[in-house]
Amino acid sequence: MTTMAIAILTDLVAATVLAVGLYYRRHRRRDLMFAYLALNVGVLAVATALGSAQAGVGLGLGLFGVLSIIRLRSDPISQAEVAYYFSALALGLIAGLAPIAWWATPAFSVLLLTVVVVADHPRWARRSRTLVLTLDTAILEPIELQHTVAHTVGGRVQRLDVREVDLVRDVTVLEVVYVPVDGMQPRRVPMQVPSLVAS
C-alpha cells in the first residue's frame, strides 16, 4: 500500500512538472497542458485498476499501444508535443503498474523528466524557428524554392519539407526551419483591402 501511495504521489508531481513546469513555460499552449494532465491521470487510473486485477505487464503494454493510436487528429501537433504526449502517458503507466520496489517509480520518473529537460532545452534550438508557409506560387525547382523562402522569412533556411505543390491553384505549402539573419527583413505581402464604395 505504501508503494502504491508513493507511486501515485510521484506521478502527480511528475505530471505537473512535465505539463506546467516544462511544457507550458516553454511552449505556452494551455489546451495541451490540460490534455497532458488529463491523459496522465486517466492512464494512471486505468493502469491501477487493471494492475489490481493481476492483469500483468503485458496488458499495460497493450494499453500503451492502444492509447498511442490516439493522436488528437483534429488538431495537428508538432513532434515535440508528441514527445510530451508520450511522456505523460509513460508516467501514468509507470505509476499505475506500481513496481514492487518503492523507489522504482520515482527513479524512472526522474529519468524521464531529465531527458525531457535536456532534449527540449531552448539552447539546442536557440535561434532556429519553424513554421508552415504557404507561397502564392507553385515552385518545383529546389534552388529557386530555397531562395524564395529565404527572402520570404528573412533568414537562412536550414530545412525545407514540401507538403504540397498545386500547379492548378499556383500554391506551394511547406514546413521551413530557418535562422533569422540580422539586417535581412522578411518580405511583407501587402494586404488587399476591398473597396467599400461602389464604382
Side-chain angles (χ1 to χ4, degrees):
M1 187 65 177
T2 304
T3 302
M4 178 59 70
I6 293 175
I8 292 176
L9 181 60
T10 300
D11 175 70
L12 295 178
V13 172
T16 302
V17 171
L18 178 75
V20 182
L22 295 177
Y23 177 77
Y24 183 71
R25 288 185 61 189
R26 292 179 177 178
H27 300 275
R28 296 293 178 181
R29 284 193 62 176
R30 187 179 298 272
D31 56 338
L32 284 181
M33 178 189 71
F34 166 73
Y36 296 145
L37 288 172
L39 172 72
N40 175 267
V41 175
V43 169
L44 171 65
V46 173
T48 302
L50 294 177
S52 64
Q54 303 299 323
V57 178
L59 185 55
L61 294 176
L63 176 64
F64 187 93
V66 170
L67 290 175
S68 67
I69 299 174
I70 305 172
R71 282 280 307 275
L72 304 177
R73 298 179 187 275
S74 61
D75 184 17
I77 58 179
S78 69
Q79 294 303 313
E81 290 166 338
V82 171
Y84 277 96
Y85 173 84
F86 281 108
S87 297
L89 197 154
L91 287 173
L93 276 180
I94 291 171
L97 295 177
I100 297 176
W102 66 267
W103 52 264
T105 300
F108 285 126
S109 299
V110 168
L111 175 62
L112 183 57
L113 289 177
T114 302
V115 171
V116 173
V117 168
V118 174
D120 192 41
H121 197 280
R123 181 175 298 176
W124 293 111
R126 184 173 300 174
R127 298 193 61 202
S128 63
R129 301 176 185 176
T130 304
L131 56 83
V132 176
L133 186 65
T134 301
L135 300 176
D136 59 353
T137 181
I139 303 176
L140 297 175
E141 176 60 39
I143 297 178
E144 180 186 356
L145 179 61
Q146 185 163 353
H147 181 75
T148 302
V149 170
H151 281 278
T152 301
V153 300
R156 186 177 69 255
V157 176
Q158 293 183 321
R159 183 175 63 85
L160 286 177
D161 182 15
V162 178
R163 296 186 176 182
E164 177 185 0
V165 177
D166 193 327
L167 298 175
V168 176
R169 294 185 296 132
D170 200 22
V171 167
T172 303
V173 181
L174 51 90
E175 181 179 355
V176 55
V177 179
Y178 70 99
V179 176
V181 175
D182 295 336
M184 188 175 181
Q185 296 297 324
R187 185 174 63 189
R188 299 184 182 277
V189 179
M191 183 175 62
Q192 301 295 326
V193 180
S195 176
L196 300 179
V197 180
S199 57

